[in-house]
Amino acid sequence: MEMNDMSIVKYYLVKILIAGGATIAVLWILTPFIIAILYAFTNPADYYSPNIVLPLRYTFEHVQKLLALGATKAIFNSVAVALMTIGLSFILGLPAGYAFARYIFPGKDSLKLFIVSLRMFPIMVIAVPLVTLYIRLGLSDTLLGVALAHTAMSLPFVIVITSSIFAGVPKELEEAALIFGLDRKGAFLRITMPLALPGLAAAAIFTFIMSWNEVFIASVLTLTNRTLPAFILTSAMAATDFIKFAAGFIMILPAMIFVFIARRYLITMWGITLR
Amino acid sequence: MSKSRRDFERYIPYLLILPALSYLIFFIGYPLIQALYLALFPDGRFSMENIDYLFTSPFSRFEEAFANTILLVITIIPIQVAIAIGLAMLFNMKFPGRNTALYMVVLPLTISDVAAGLIWYSLLSSNGFFNKLLINLGLISEPIQFFGYQFRHMEFLAIVLTELWRATAIVFVILFAGLQMISREYIEAAEVFGATVWQRIRYIVFPMLKPSLQAALIIRTLFAFQIFGVVWILAGRDIPVLAGEAYYEQVELKHTGVAAIYALIIALISIVIGYIYIKLFKAKYLEV
């Protein structure tokens, strides 16, 4: 009887510990997000008032001012670079990912090991030497130049992700299509591609976020055509607090939207890319 | 006819991989060689002037940058790993709302270092949330200063907090995935044979989690040596770090040769750590 009481107490104690731990973890992550978003829209008087912890009145003027300072162009540049990066890294990476998923060939393991280990390469170090090359090629201070470097950054990830996505599409379906008269290309386009599409879309989002977030290469390679993080890095230092808050908000916005869209794939995808 | 067709088929995978492989070799190999050239042959002839600059120029803060980078790495990573282990074990249990909580905890994965720096600036600035909260709770009477050269130690703390908030999720995801792969049958078997909770963790969970733990450790270490955005936003050059100095020498001072040396140092550190990684977990890698 006593034993039984003890185990009931222990049961609830464990429940409370789990609930408490999870609550603390969620609060630790969410509080900075919420504060940063509220402060991006705070009324200046509320921000400077020592007694008002959370702003009560809100305004769009900080975001508007940031956009007027040049963030609009920087956002456009960032999106353009990210889209070019997705295009380039998928054109190059998709075939390689498919080859690793579907073919058995001599040297496969070493090639895969090589590409996988390139994910670990600190890609930022290519930025400084690329400046010299880009001057010669007429690519200095261009969005294409940044996109080419971002492609080098995201390509190993795209190959690994697409290979794992293609490996997840049953080979039997493709073989069935071959038996029913489609050729290899037809089987790929009509069977494998549609089944792989949701995963590939998530991979594209992953690539977008990688490029959108990258700051070092973009700041070194551009001067007038800054991407958003490069623009913020060079101008936020001297700006008022409000501009910094607005900049933080604009930087996290696409990531939050994409996380919501791709949340089903998020953890799996990071699991694949980081393993 | 059919033989030459089969010969061609044999080359298909190589043809599919070749474009990506050539691209990567060019965009990583060429800059590395070019960096060596920029660093050691500034005027076409071999010269130590860029290396001398690192150690003797009044502009150079190489030693500080090296020390700060290592200090940040050894401060941040052990705490991150400890928190991530705790979180992974917590989320490995079933409780209501677990999936929602999981999405929230991994949210910082998508946040850039620059954005994370700005977010934490809004928390820690002298009119920020943290100071006002403590003042209104009556815990402090004057705001705690986190920013400015004379408050470098607090800047260091702000960087550590931001990095813990931003990058612990990476370690957590790897460990969580590792825990999920451990078959429940092993643990149930141990339970049947009367193992206590601690024994189950010590003799089953921990050994099976070890590969993930090592992987997480090294991935985080590699990225931590590239720390830049958070530091630049929160402390500028008050706390010089290797990547920050590379940026400063290149963009502000136009010392491309010196910036190239910093790039090579970061690459060298990563290659050494990466080499250890591959040596230790070769089998693990090939499973991908």
Side-chain angles (χ1 to χ4, degrees):
Chain A
M1 196 66 203
E2 226 170 85
M3 216 29 213
N4 204 8
D5 281 351
M6 275 290 281
S7 66
I8 288 172
V9 170
K10 205 173 143 195
Y11 174 81
Y12 279 105
L13 209 65
V14 169
K15 284 261 166 191
I16 290 167
L17 272 176
I18 292 175
T23 311
I24 291 170
V26 169
L27 282 180
W28 157 250
I29 295 300
L30 280 195
T31 312
F33 272 115
I34 294 165
I35 298 301
I37 292 169
L38 292 182
Y39 274 38
F41 298 98
T42 182
N43 177 302
D46 286 1
Y47 176 64
Y48 287 119
S49 159
N51 298 319
I52 302 177
V53 179
L54 287 177
L56 303 167
R57 290 163 294 170
Y58 294 94
T59 168
F60 279 104
E61 71 177 86
H62 314 310
V63 175
Q64 281 167 348
K65 211 179 274 173
L66 178 72
L67 292 176
L69 278 173
T72 314
K73 190 185 167 213
I75 291 170
F76 172 80
N77 289 344
S78 272
V79 172
V81 167
L83 293 180
M84 281 192 273
T85 304
I86 293 174
L88 285 166
S89 54
F90 272 68
I91 288 169
L92 293 165
L94 216 64
Y98 185 77
F100 282 125
R102 277 292 187 268
Y103 291 89
I104 297 163
F105 50 93
K108 178 178 171 175
D109 286 350
S110 330
L111 276 172
K112 201 166 182 185
L113 176 66
F114 177 69
I115 288 173
V116 162
S117 54
L118 282 185
R119 293 177 308 175
M120 302 292 137
F121 185 80
I123 204 74
M124 65 194 300
V125 309
I126 72 172
V128 173
L130 279 184
V131 174
T132 331
L133 177 70
Y134 279 6
I135 291 171
R136 251 183 288 152
L137 297 178
L139 283 170
S140 62
D141 198 19
T142 63
L143 298 179
L144 178 62
V146 180
L148 288 172
H150 280 185
T151 301
M153 165 180 76
S154 56
L155 194 49
F157 291 92
V158 169
I159 295 173
V160 171
I161 296 175
T162 53
S163 137
S164 121
I165 291 167
F166 285 132
V169 177
K171 207 175 180 173
E172 290 73 22
L173 293 178
E174 225 170 284
E175 282 162 0
L178 290 175
I179 289 168
F180 284 110
L182 283 173
D183 58 357
R184 196 137 204 167
K185 202 178 106 212
F188 175 75
L189 289 176
R190 312 238 320 248
I191 306 292
T192 311
M193 248 339 227
L195 286 171
L197 213 55
L200 295 179
I205 287 176
F206 181 89
T207 312
F208 187 98
I209 293 178
M210 264 183 103
S211 168
W212 173 270
N213 283 347
E214 198 287 322
V215 63
F216 188 91
I217 296 173
S219 338
V220 168
L221 291 180
T222 60
L223 198 63
T224 54
N225 287 314
R226 297 246 188 247
T227 62
L228 185 64
F231 166 76
I232 290 170
L233 194 77
T234 43
S235 45
M237 303 298 288
T240 62
D241 285 0
F242 303 115
I243 297 292
K244 291 185 185 179
F245 304 155
F249 172 72
I250 292 184
M251 282 270 345
I252 62 175
L253 197 56
M256 308 276 262
I257 296 169
F258 284 149
V259 167
F260 184 74
I261 298 171
R263 62 190 183 285
R264 265 185 56 210
Y265 292 90
L266 187 73
I267 295 170
T268 342
M269 193 146 297
W270 256 285
I272 294 166
T273 55
L274 292 172
R275 200 164 55 190
Chain B
M1 184 74 187
S2 126
K3 189 181 177 299
S4 75
R5 170 122 192 111
R6 198 168 312 141
D7 272 351
F8 175 71
E9 291 259 339
R10 273 218 321 254
Y11 293 113
I12 288 179
Y14 299 105
L15 292 176
L16 292 173
I17 293 166
L18 193 64
L21 195 65
S22 340
Y23 192 92
L24 285 171
I25 289 172
F26 176 76
F27 264 91
I28 291 173
Y30 176 85
L32 276 183
I33 294 163
Q34 178 77 13
L36 267 176
Y37 186 78
L38 288 169
L40 297 176
F41 299 88
D43 305 306
R45 273 175 297 110
F46 178 78
S47 155
M48 295 288 280
E49 71 180 71
N50 286 323
I51 293 169
D52 288 340
Y53 175 99
L54 277 192
F55 293 102
T56 55
S57 164
F59 297 112
S60 170
R61 299 178 67 183
F62 172 70
E63 286 97 338
E64 265 180 280
F66 197 80
N68 283 333
T69 308
I70 288 181
L71 197 59
L72 280 168
V73 170
I74 60 177
T75 314
I76 292 165
I77 288 177
I79 309 176
Q80 267 176 344
V81 171
I83 297 177
I85 291 176
L87 278 178
M89 296 183 87
L90 178 70
F91 278 91
N92 204 33
M93 292 184 275
K94 292 225 166 11
F95 55 89
R98 184 181 79 153
N99 283 342
T100 317
L102 196 59
Y103 290 130
M104 288 174 180
V105 171
V106 300
L107 214 50
L109 280 175
T110 58
I111 299 301
S112 74
D113 43 3
V114 171
L118 292 166
I119 287 172
W120 276 77
Y121 183 79
S122 68
L123 261 88
L124 300 177
S125 75
S126 52
N127 290 305
F129 176 74
F130 180 68
N131 271 318
K132 285 208 272 193
L133 186 70
L134 292 188
I135 288 174
N136 282 281
L137 290 173
L139 294 173
I140 53 173
S141 53
E142 285 293 308
I144 302 168
Q145 298 295 336
F146 277 93
F147 303 106
Y149 187 74
Q150 66 272 43
F151 305 109
R152 281 196 302 300
H153 297 294
M154 295 308 273
E155 281 184 335
F156 189 89
L157 180 64
I159 293 167
V160 170
L161 283 172
T162 310
E163 277 296 286
L164 290 180
W165 178 79
R166 185 185 72 90
T168 303
I170 297 173
V171 187
F172 164 69
V173 166
I174 301 172
L175 294 185
F176 181 64
L179 269 185
Q180 298 264 294
M181 277 191 292
I182 299 174
S183 168
R184 286 220 63 84
E185 284 162 25
Y186 292 115
I187 295 169
E188 276 158 18
E191 258 172 10
V192 169
F193 286 108
T196 63
V197 176
W198 172 244
Q199 282 173 327
R200 272 177 268 156
I201 292 175
R202 172 73 185 79
Y203 295 106
I204 296 173
V205 176
F206 187 70
M208 296 191 81
L209 198 59
K210 218 170 143 192
S212 312
L213 193 64
Q214 286 168 323
L217 247 172
I218 304 221
I219 286 171
R220 259 313 291 154
T221 317
L222 283 182
F223 283 114
F225 272 105
Q226 301 171 47
I227 189 166
F228 169 61
V230 170
V231 177
W232 204 258
I233 288 289
L234 293 178
R237 253 188 123 209
D238 297 348
I239 298 176
V241 290
L242 289 173
E245 289 305 285
Y247 170 80
Y248 184 77
E249 294 286 349
Q250 171 67 29
V251 174
E252 305 283 333
L253 303 180
K254 311 285 179 217
H255 290 157
T256 301
V258 180
I261 295 185
Y262 277 107
L264 286 172
I265 291 169
I266 296 168
L268 196 68
I269 293 172
S270 305
I271 288 167
V272 169
I273 296 171
Y275 179 77
I276 297 167
Y277 190 23
I278 290 172
K279 276 278 155 206
L280 284 173
F281 319 114
K282 199 160 188 173
K284 185 87 187 133
Y285 251 122
L286 294 173
E287 280 169 20
V288 174

